[in-house]
Amino acid sequence: MAVAFVAAAACTVPAQAAPSPTAPAMATPQPVVSIAFAAQRDRSATPAVAWLRDEVLTHRREWPRERDSSQPFTVHVGAGSLRFTDGVALPPGCIAAGEATLDGCTLGFDCLDDGSESWVVEGTRVPARVRALLAVLHVDLDGAPRTIDVAALVGNLAGAAVADDASMQQLTAGALLCGDAVVTARHDARRLHVNGRSAGGLMVPAFLLWQALAREAGMQATNALREWQLRAFVGRDGDRLEAVRQMQRSGGNSLPALRAMLHGDESIRLCAMDALVRLQAAGELPRIVTAADATMPLATAMATTAVRELWPLAAADTRERTRGALGANPVLEAALQDLGQESTRDPRWRLLGFASILLVSLSGFWLRERTRLS
């Protein structure tokens, strides 16, 4: 259970110090981590920290059964094992604090009861397994905040899961509790300063990312398509829409990621629907209809257009499933009442009709201008 350090700390190393993101993976030393937890108290603002403490650490086989889990304690991680000792005094409002050493870097951190956490990092080496991830996330040392959906990032990196995969279930539970993590980083002459906040501080997302990267089935971000997919899955910044647009260029290979985007917010759904229409992905019609939430008028309008454009290209079974999805979406069903009549027309006649209207309009404008000039 290699805890803490990697993702948020190492991801902020200066670009000139970081090796190539496509460098081959090498074995990295086990981290040496010590984390002191305060006494158990209300953790409504940091449920992921409470989960790590009460549902993960205190259920480990190394946990001394005679120790009261509600009292302060310290966990030491190294060489693939854990050791628990007595707690230490922490400042008021601090629920956890610790230090870590890994691959040439040392780190000190403290997590407050509102989920905010500060890290001070010394050293510039980046563990090999996280280099590609850092390049994908475009974490720069400019002090600008980066907001990341922890559940989406962990789920994307953790890879395929088999039935009753306990480790995957644990990763999913912790990541969902973390929610979004906001991270800023700046570098002075001597140290790297990382500040962030989530429902798990920064240490819980870092723990989850380390575990996701260590999974045998985990995804390695080694090509351009996967880099765009990751940015689209986890980004909450301006470039997430561009990520969806770039996936459109990869053709059918991007369909899994575009399907996932149909579960995003309205702007992401809108962009994903547009990409699917441009790819003429008629087989995605049922998913597009399902994604047209009544509370998202722009996405609903785009879904209406998508159904009209892709319906003539859809196979019979896709049309049947689309009708079923429309039956569960009254708003979209009302907007597409004439869908059956539309489907019986040759789409070429519709294009001819549009062209005729355009020609008539242009002729009218020309005649009006001719009359005025004469």
Side-chain angles (χ1 to χ4, degrees), residues 75-149:
V75 58
H76 307 273
V77 185
S81 64
L82 280 75
R83 181 170 59 90
F84 294 92
T85 61
D86 292 337
V88 299
L90 297 178
C94 182
I95 60 174
E99 57 185 12
T101 302
L102 174 65
D103 201 17
C105 288
T106 60
L107 157 72
F109 62 91
D110 58 86
C111 180
L112 303 184
D113 53 12
D114 64 353
S116 58
E117 191 167 327
S118 299
W119 294 15
V120 178
V121 185
E122 298 189 24
T124 58
R125 295 183 63 187
V126 181
R129 70 176 61 178
V130 299
R131 291 172 190 158
L133 173 62
L134 311 183
V136 168
L137 295 179
H138 296 266
V139 181
D140 303 316
L141 296 176
D142 55 5
R146 302 291 192 271
T147 306
I148 294 175
D149 184 332

Side-chain angles (χ1 to χ4, degrees), residues 1-10 30-31 33 35 37 47-60 75 77-78 80-82 84 100 102 107 109 117 119 129-130 133 150 153-155 157-158 166-178 181 198-215:
M1 188 169 153
V3 114
F5 172 41
V6 209
Q30 287 290 328
V33 183
I35 307 176
F37 289 89
V49 176
W51 165 83
L52 177 62
R53 172 196 167 114
D54 302 328
E55 301 297 329
V56 178
L57 294 178
T58 60
H59 284 76
R60 291 280 300 187
V75 58
V77 185
S81 64
L82 280 75
F84 294 92
L102 174 65
L107 157 72
F109 62 91
E117 191 167 327
W119 294 15
R129 70 176 61 178
V130 299
L133 173 62
V150 178
L153 177 58
V154 169
L157 290 174
S167 65
M168 186 63 179
Q169 293 171 3
Q170 190 177 71
L171 285 174
T172 302
L176 288 172
L177 288 172
C178 287
S198 81
L202 294 180
M203 64 174 180
V204 180
F207 159 69
L208 295 170
L209 288 180
W210 181 267
Q211 293 295 307
L213 289 166
R215 280 173 58 87

Side-chain angles (χ1 to χ4, degrees), residues 2 12 25 28 31 37 49 64 66 78 100 152 171 189 200 203 208-209 212 224 238 288 295 343 362 372:
T12 51
T28 56
F37 289 89
V49 176
E66 68 278 5
L171 285 174
M203 64 174 180
L208 295 170
L209 288 180
I288 292 174
T295 63
S343 63
L362 290 176
R372 289 179 57 189

Side-chain angles (χ1 to χ4, degrees), residues 285-287 289-290 320-330 332-333:
L285 274 178
R287 294 185 177 90
V289 171
T290 302
E320 189 63 29
R321 288 185 288 114
T322 302
R323 289 189 185 279
L326 285 171
N329 192 325
L332 203 59
E333 186 179 34

